[in-house]
Amino acid sequence: MEQYKQEFIEFMIDCQVLKFGDFVTKSGRKTPFFVNTGFYRTGAQLRKLGEYYAQAIKNTFGTEFDVLFGPAYKGIPLSVAATIALSEKYDADIKYCSNRKEVKDHGDKGILLGSPISDGDKVVIIEDVTTAGTSIGETLPILQAQGNVDVLGLVVSVDRMERGQGEKSALCEISEKYGFKTCAIVTMKEVIEHLYNRPYKGKVIIDDTLMAAINAYYEQYGAK
């Protein structure tokens, strides 16, 4: 596993973004782990998060694209942080763009904020965590309404590696349905590999008891 992935896993723990215990997802699944990107709360954290996203974006999509689109609301700071990091780390001047939930009818009118999107633009979508893939179905019509754009794919922070609408993972279903690449900074398999029975700051985060709960969860909800 690449060093930046290991660092990102520990970064999520430090920021209390990645937690283990008893949780319920939006879809109603009882889960022993939870990823809440709302816990990235400081400028330093967002700066670092942008760098991890930039690394994953460069590894999968390169830097020869035009727009990084972050769907409202959580995608807005992600797109800003990642485009700043792409500029600083790779000298890539990528435009950021997000949508408004409500169309603005005065001043800077329209549904978009940040850069406009034009015919021929190559676009990468950035999100936090995708579990069911429903948000992409809402995002693509917004992009397509701007013109003949080329959506290269989707990047998220964590691939939960559980079933989406069918038996495959949500990221795999999105890739197959829309015909573009998907990637994550880390997968839950990598998280487990890095933390299982391995102390971090003097504490074993995933012990045998928690590992049994994780295995039971994936037995029920894991992607095939």
Side-chain angles (χ1 to χ4, degrees):
M1 188 192 316
E2 296 97 322
Q3 182 68 28
Y4 85 96
K5 289 176 177 278
Q6 298 177 33
E7 292 175 359
F8 179 63
I9 294 166
E10 295 169 3
F11 172 69
M12 286 194 292
I13 293 169
D14 290 343
C15 295
Q16 300 184 60
V17 167
L18 174 61
K19 296 182 179 181
F20 296 92
D22 295 310
F23 307 95
V24 178
T25 67
K26 184 185 290 187
S27 60
R29 296 175 180 177
K30 293 182 178 180
T31 173
F33 57 88
F34 198 74
V35 180
N36 183 359
T37 57
F39 272 82
Y40 294 120
R41 291 175 172 174
T42 72
Q45 289 172 348
L46 285 174
R47 182 188 186 94
K48 196 68 180 173
L49 177 62
E51 292 175 355
Y52 291 123
Y53 265 111
Q55 178 87 57
I57 290 167
K58 183 177 183 297
N59 288 355
T60 303
F61 303 103
T63 58
E64 296 300 316
F65 64 97
D66 303 293
V67 179
L68 186 62
F69 184 85
Y73 288 103
K74 287 184 178 179
I76 297 174
L78 296 181
S79 63
V80 173
T83 50
I84 291 171
L86 285 164
S87 174
E88 292 181 343
K89 287 175 65 72
Y90 305 116
D91 196 29
D93 198 19
I94 308 297
K95 296 179 286 187
Y96 96 91
C97 181
S98 296
N99 63 297
R100 296 182 172 96
K101 288 289 188 179
E102 302 83 19
V103 177
K104 189 177 178 183
D105 60 4
H106 63 281
D108 180 20
K109 296 182 180 181
I111 197 170
L112 301 182
L113 54 86
S115 171
I117 299 176
S118 306
D119 279 348
D121 276 349
K122 296 179 180 179
V123 181
V124 173
I125 302 168
I126 184 170
E127 290 191 348
D128 55 350
V129 180
T130 296
T131 51
T134 52
S135 62
I136 287 294
E138 298 169 356
T139 298
L140 283 177
I142 295 171
L143 295 173
Q144 291 162 348
Q146 309 310 310
N148 185 22
V149 300
D150 181 10
V151 178
L152 302 185
L154 167 70
V155 57
V156 300
S157 60
V158 180
D159 180 359
R160 288 180 59 98
M161 301 184 70
E162 59 191 72
R163 295 197 305 272
Q165 303 296 328
E167 294 297 309
K168 297 181 179 180
S169 73
L171 284 183
C172 184
E173 288 179 350
I174 289 168
S175 182
E176 290 184 355
K177 181 175 181 178
Y178 299 110
F180 53 58
K181 294 180 181 178
T182 58
C183 73
I185 302 173
V186 293
T187 66
M188 277 307 299
K189 180 180 179 181
E190 291 169 328
V191 170
I192 294 164
E193 175 188 328
H194 185 60
L195 296 177
Y196 178 50
N197 277 343
R198 186 177 298 173
Y200 175 62
K201 293 186 174 179
K203 179 183 178 181
V204 173
I205 296 173
I206 301 181
D207 57 14
D208 289 337
T209 301
L210 181 55
M211 190 69 223
I214 292 172
N215 285 337
Y217 180 78
Y218 277 115
E219 186 69 27
Q220 185 173 4
Y221 297 116
K224 303 299 182 184

